[in-house]
């Protein structure tokens, strides 16, 4: 009897792929992932990197052929499909295998082989057929700062059962330079490798470092992920063609011409490390359907927006904020969303996006100009599309959990429910109540819930409700955090807004 390890390696040996990496050592250090679940298609992902913290992953320049298998059972006895795919240096030896003609609503296991090695096994599933009538369970989360804490929340998410997909809204890396333990700011639990990300090599190395995290690998091996990006995949608060550093508060101005290659480098590295299609590289807004229950409209609120008016921090809106042509989605995406909402016959329309949609009013009547509040005309156009539909909005970005009613103006009738996932680790160990949050809640009664613990949201879309449970971990600075439920809300058909569940 051959040892199990050798048995697993047999198919790879039979492929006879040449050893071509410049470094020896395990190839599948970054795990596997799947994504883009549709009734008939999926994307399977891996990236070969024997030296994850080297810009080329230790792979050199030669292409490498991989074998892959999609099986109906974890033991890979019932192979549904198999084949070969080539990883090239142009994509940092990442693989984005786009499979089609798959059956709907089916679970699969998958793995890759290369150079005599076998990858970890991933589990995935296709979306149910559009006429399938059953509840759909899904998770949402993002903002995973390596330095601020462990990704234990993702470890818990990996163990959730019966999950159709995980929406990752972005901030899958943070671009800032490594800080030593003891540095000022949020305590450094573990340091970023290298300086601030500016080049493709920098961003690749940063993504690879994050992908070595065992909880993040477990998440991606357990569920298909629908990924978008926010600002930190490139730079804090970038906006369309504009660097954050285009205003007077920065010592050096960065022009649009200087910023363009940095943005392209950041988004290329994001694509290389996410289980997304080639098409999502150029257009990250896209739509998914999960049975009768759910249409998921994934938005890109970064790439096509105007520069933040009046600066991008908390500001009292200046006249520029009231430009009636203001764009956060851009005209093309806005028309695409309007069309998709009008055509959809799903029970729930869910916007999967990044930045706060409900009003937040800070002391001095200041607003966050990086969120929808900074673009009131675009916000009003969006709300006119949502009005009269059963709709929920999934949001991230602010590192706090919130549930609230989206209204056109404070005090008006709700148009939709908004559920803001907190962060996986950004801003470190939480607290029972953020300083100032009670005061915000008292001035903004349309926001119904707030929590300053790290975690993610768990949702169920069904005929009688769309549910949001705020799952929380009490600490991220050390291992062993349990999973708690910090709050539970629903939104009901024909009754826009949130209700305590
Ligand atoms: Fe973040």
């Amino acid at each position: 009897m051959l040892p199990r390890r050798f048995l697993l390696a047999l198919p790879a040996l039979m492929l006879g792929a040449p050893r071509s990496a410049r470094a020896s050592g395990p190839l599948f250090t970054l795990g596997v992932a799947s994504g883009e679940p549709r009734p008939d298609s999926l994307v399977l992902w891996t990236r070969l990197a024997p030296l994850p913290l080297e810009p080329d992953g230790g792979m050199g320049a030669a292409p490498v052929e991989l074998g892959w298998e999609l099986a109906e059972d974890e033991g890979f006895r019932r192979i549904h499909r198999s084949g070969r795919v080539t990883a090239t240096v142009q994509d940092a030896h990442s693989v984005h295998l786009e499979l089609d003609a798959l059956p709907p609503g089916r679970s699969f296991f998958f793995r890759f082989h290369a150079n005599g090695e076998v990858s970890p096994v991933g589990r995935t599933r296709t979306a149910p057929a559009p006429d399938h009538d059953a509840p759909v369970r899904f998770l949402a989360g993002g903002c995973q700062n390596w330095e601020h804490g462990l990704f234990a929340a993702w470890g818990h998410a990996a163990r959730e059962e019966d999950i159709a997909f995980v929406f990752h809204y972005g901030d899958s890396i943070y671009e800032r330079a490594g800080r030593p333990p003891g540095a000022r700011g949020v305590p450094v639990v573990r340091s970023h490798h290298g300086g601030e990300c500016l080049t493709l090599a920098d961003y690749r190395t940063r993504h690879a470092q994050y992908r070595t995290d065992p909880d993040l690998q477990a998440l991606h091996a357990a569920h298909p992920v629908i990924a978008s990006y926010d600002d930190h995949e490139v730079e804090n608060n970038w906006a369309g063609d504009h660097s954050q550093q285009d205003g007077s508060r920065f010592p050096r101005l960065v022009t649009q011409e200087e910023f363009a290659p940095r943005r392209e480098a950041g988004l290329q590295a994001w694509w290389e490390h996410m289980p997304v299609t080639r098409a999502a590289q150029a257009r990250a807004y896209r739509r998914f359907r999960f049975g009768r229950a759910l249409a998921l409209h994934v938005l890109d609120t970064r790439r096509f927006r105007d520069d933040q008016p009046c600066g991008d921090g908390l500001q009292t809106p200046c006249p520029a904020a009231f430009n009636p042509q203001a764009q956060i989605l851009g005209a093309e995406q806005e028309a695409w969303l309007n069309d998709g909402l009008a055509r959809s016959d799903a029970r729930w329309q869910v916007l999967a996006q990044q930045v706060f949609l409900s009003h937040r009013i800070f002391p001095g009547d200041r607003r966050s100009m990086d969120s929808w509040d900074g673009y009131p005309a675009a916000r009003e156009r969006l709300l006119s599309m949502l009005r009269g539909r059963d709709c929920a909005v999934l949001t991230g970005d602010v590192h706090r959990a919130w549930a609230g009613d989206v209204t056109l103006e404070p005090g008006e009738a709700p148009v939709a429910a908004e559920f803001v996932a907190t962060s996986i680790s950004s801003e470190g160990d939480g607290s029972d109540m953020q300083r100032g949050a009670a005061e915000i809640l008292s001035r903004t009664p349309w926001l119904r819930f707030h929590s300053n613990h790290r975690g993610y949201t768990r949702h169920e879309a069904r005929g009688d409700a769309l549910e949001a449970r705020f799952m929380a971990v009490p600490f991220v600075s050390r291992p062993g955090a349990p999973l708690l439920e910090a709050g539970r809300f629903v939104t009901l058909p024909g009754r826009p807004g949130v209700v305590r569940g």
Side-chain angles (χ1 to χ4, degrees), residues 23 151 209 490:
F151 299 164
Q209 183 181 23
V490 295

Side-chain angles (χ1 to χ4, degrees), residues 17-28 48-51 56-65 87 93 114-115 117:
R19 174 104 216 162
S20 56
R22 67 179 175 83
S24 60
L27 289 172
F28 294 102
L48 306 176
L51 299 173
D56 71 348
M59 288 301 292
V64 175
E65 190 173 68
H93 291 94
N115 296 350
E117 290 181 40

Side-chain angles (χ1 to χ4, degrees), residues 219-439:
L219 174 85
H220 281 286
H223 311 298
V225 168
I226 295 175
S228 71
Y229 49 76
D230 194 15
D231 52 341
H232 289 286
E233 278 80 2
V234 178
E235 179 201 40
N236 185 50
N237 286 1
W238 67 280
D241 297 330
H242 301 268
S243 164
Q244 180 186 35
Q245 301 172 66
D246 65 350
S248 55
R249 108 192 142 76
F250 291 93
R252 183 180 164 277
L253 300 188
V254 175
T255 65
Q256 292 180 35
E257 290 69 33
E258 287 176 293
F259 178 59
R262 184 181 184 187
R263 184 183 75 168
E264 290 319 301
L267 297 184
Q268 165 73 14
W270 169 82
W271 178 84
E272 288 170 351
H273 292 83
M274 288 294 156
V276 292
T277 61
R278 179 68 72 178
Q281 202 173 11
R283 207 188 85 162
Y285 61 88
R286 58 211 196 274
R287 187 173 291 120
F288 296 85
R289 177 70 187 258
F290 294 86
R292 288 193 184 174
L294 176 62
L296 189 80
H297 309 265
V298 179
L299 305 186
D300 179 342
T301 58
R302 280 288 154 201
R303 195 171 186 167
F304 306 105
R305 69 156 82 186
D306 300 337
D307 195 17
Q308 293 92 348
C310 334
D312 62 355
L314 295 182
Q315 309 281 351
T316 306
C318 65
F322 300 99
N323 170 16
Q325 310 300 326
Q327 287 287 3
I328 194 162
L329 301 177
E332 214 173 295
Q333 182 177 187
E334 206 172 87
W336 165 87
L337 178 61
N338 198 21
D339 182 58
L341 288 167
R343 286 167 186 260
S344 177
D345 61 353
R347 158 46 69 203
W348 292 102
Q349 307 304 314
V350 172
L351 303 193
Q353 56 104 51
Q354 296 79 32
V355 290
F356 227 97
L357 181 58
S358 304
H359 288 300
R360 282 182 303 159
I361 302 174
F362 295 86
D365 200 29
R366 291 174 306 152
R367 314 287 176 104
S368 166
M369 304 313 285
D370 187 56
S371 71
W372 285 91
D373 262 345
Y375 302 76
R379 186 180 185 280
E380 184 171 349
R381 291 195 302 274
L382 177 71
L383 265 54
S384 71
M385 293 183 219
L386 302 183
R387 190 169 284 114
R389 306 186 193 284
D390 290 324
C391 185
V393 181
L394 309 180
T395 301
D397 184 53
V398 294
H399 309 166
R400 303 286 186 274
W402 297 91
D405 295 340
V406 181
T407 65
L408 181 58
E409 295 296 338
E412 292 189 358
V415 176
E418 182 170 29
F419 302 115
V420 184
T422 174
S423 63
I424 292 300
S425 66
S426 300
E427 298 193 38
D429 289 341
S431 61
D432 282 339
M433 187 50 106
Q434 177 203 3
R435 227 181 16 253
E439 200 247 341

